[in-house]
Amino acid sequence: MDMSQYAAKEAFLNNQKLLTDFLSEEANFSHIDKAATLISHAFQNGHKVLSCGNGGSACDAMHFAQEFTGRFRGDRKALPVICISDPTHITCVGNDYGFDHIFSRGVEAYGQSGDVLIALSTSGNSANIIKAVEAAKERGMTVLCLLGKSGGKLAGSGDIEWIIPGTTSDRIQEIHMIILHTIIELVERKLFPANYG
């Protein structure tokens, strides 16, 4: 096996270890079910979900949103999830107030009591995510945090949170996406059981 093949295998083994460690913690699955229940109840009561993240986590936040507004496993009505990452919003707020406020201003604009915020940060230290969480709490929103490493400054700030103890953002984000996809599936199972008959 040459060095590049070795590196490729190591990438999968590292991911496997993070996933195995995740699987060994039963609380992770009760958190996923609780998150899906909270989101389902929010939809049933006329509320919505906001999501945010930076870089690859922004892509995951967008991916999560479009699975609800579009189609996941089966046909059903569109559900209100908004990723607060519109480039005109980000550049406007970044220019006027600074990059640290790009997500909190989005929460201020769209968030209401009863809504849910999903905040992704692989370091747990992103200032703009911290401010978004603070803004959500001020509005009586439920906060779900997907974090990495030690959880950083955001550790303990979510009503529900997952901390993936990886050393690199890519491996952490891969586990985050599995969590997000599983939440989506459980929400669909709760609200549209006929799609899983």
Side-chain angles (χ1 to χ4, degrees), residues 15-166:
N15 188 289
Q16 181 183 46
K17 182 183 184 314
L18 284 175
L19 186 56
T20 299
D21 291 346
F22 187 89
L23 288 165
S24 71
E25 295 290 333
E26 284 299 318
N28 287 324
F29 304 102
S30 63
H31 289 342
I32 289 172
D33 184 57
K34 184 178 178 184
T37 299
L38 285 166
I39 291 170
S40 297
H41 287 165
F43 291 151
Q44 289 171 323
N45 290 298
H47 297 294
K48 62 188 169 299
V49 177
L50 303 179
S51 61
C52 60
N54 293 290
S57 294
C59 296
D60 292 344
M62 292 172 71
H63 185 153
F64 180 78
Q66 60 85 17
E67 296 283 25
F68 281 107
T69 58
R71 185 179 190 274
F72 186 63
R73 293 281 177 86
D75 292 326
R76 43 105 174 124
K77 67 177 184 178
L79 295 168
V81 182
I82 302 168
C83 181
I84 45 179
S85 62
D86 181 279
T88 57
H89 164 79
I90 288 175
T91 54
C92 173
V93 175
N95 185 61
D96 294 347
Y97 295 97
F99 191 71
D100 288 355
H101 299 274
I102 59 172
F103 299 130
S104 59
R105 294 285 292 187
V107 171
E108 182 181 336
Y110 303 117
Q112 298 177 343
S113 179
D115 291 346
V116 177
L117 174 70
I118 296 187
L120 295 95
S121 175
T122 59
S123 69
N125 294 318
S126 301
N128 53 16
I129 301 294
I130 293 170
K131 289 187 181 299
V133 168
E134 292 169 350
K137 289 185 169 186
E138 288 171 5
R139 281 156 184 76
M141 297 172 64
T142 300
V143 176
L144 312 183
C145 290
L146 285 83
L147 309 172
K149 300 177 183 176
S150 67
K153 295 176 182 176
L154 281 166
S157 66
D159 295 291
I160 302 173
E161 65 186 28
W162 298 267
I163 300 174
I164 308 305

